[in-house]
Amino acid sequence: MKKFVFLLMVLLSSSAFASANSDKQQILSVLHQQQNAWNQGNIPGFMQGYWHSPKLRFTSGGQVSYGWQQAMNHYQAHYKNKAAMGKLLFDIKDVQLFGDHAVVFGHWQLNREKDQPQGYFTLVLAKLDGSWKITADHTSAARPAKH
């Protein structure tokens, strides 16, 4: 009986690990798809990673807004063309899973002809109808280091 319980625990643990690994890969795929859409100048494609809801919370530049459409409007107002968008690079530092929710922390950088703004982001994602979506985004710009 003890061997059976031990074997059952091992199987359940490996199943949970495989599920967590699959969820992490799905989350990273969402962010990779966003990066690709951005680099193609496709803001609507980039927005596919976000929860299409008036409850989406978006924080950037010291401002907090709610709603998918508000976030879309923000991006379209601040990035009017592909040159303004530049090339986006994500460096994912950490993905923490909490059941059907996750927190992602990372670094972003835009490579543009005249500058290279960069900063950090913390994203809250939820698995909604089988797909991972960003439900809250807190993005900040980092100040260049002074020498």
Side-chain angles (χ1 to χ4, degrees):
M1 181 67 171
K2 287 182 183 179
K3 287 182 181 180
F4 175 75
V5 170
F6 176 74
L7 181 59
L8 184 59
M9 288 175 56
V10 169
L11 289 173
L12 290 174
S13 295
S14 60
S15 174
F17 176 77
S19 177
N21 195 38
S22 173
D23 285 334
K24 183 177 178 180
Q25 291 304 317
Q26 289 174 30
I27 290 166
L28 293 174
S29 177
V30 168
L31 299 175
H32 181 73
Q33 289 170 13
Q34 280 193 302
Q35 181 177 288
N36 286 343
W38 186 274
N39 292 337
Q40 294 168 4
N42 181 357
I43 292 175
F46 176 80
M47 289 298 298
Q48 292 300 309
Y50 287 96
W51 183 29
H52 201 293
S53 167
K55 295 180 181 179
L56 168 68
R57 186 178 68 225
F58 183 80
T59 306
S60 179
Q63 302 293 317
V64 179
S65 64
Y66 289 87
W68 184 91
Q69 190 61 55
Q70 287 291 101
M72 173 71 119
N73 294 347
H74 168 85
Y75 281 120
Q76 289 177 325
H78 287 87
Y79 302 98
K80 295 195 182 281
N81 56 46
K82 196 169 178 180
M85 292 174 76
K87 181 177 180 185
L88 176 64
L89 299 171
F90 284 146
D91 180 13
I92 307 303
K93 305 291 187 185
D94 188 37
V95 177
Q96 296 180 10
L97 292 167
F98 304 96
D100 285 346
H101 289 81
V103 175
V104 176
F105 175 70
H107 180 263
W108 63 271
Q109 181 171 334
L110 288 181
N111 291 325
R112 300 188 291 202
E113 191 173 311
K114 296 181 180 182
D115 62 358
Q116 287 79 43
Q118 62 177 316
Y120 294 93
F121 59 86
T122 302
L123 307 173
V124 177
L125 292 93
K127 197 170 195 178
L128 305 166
D129 298 324
S131 298
W132 286 96
K133 296 291 183 181
I134 300 165
T135 61
D137 178 337
H138 189 150
T139 298
S140 62
R143 293 190 174 131
K146 294 182 181 180
H147 297 284

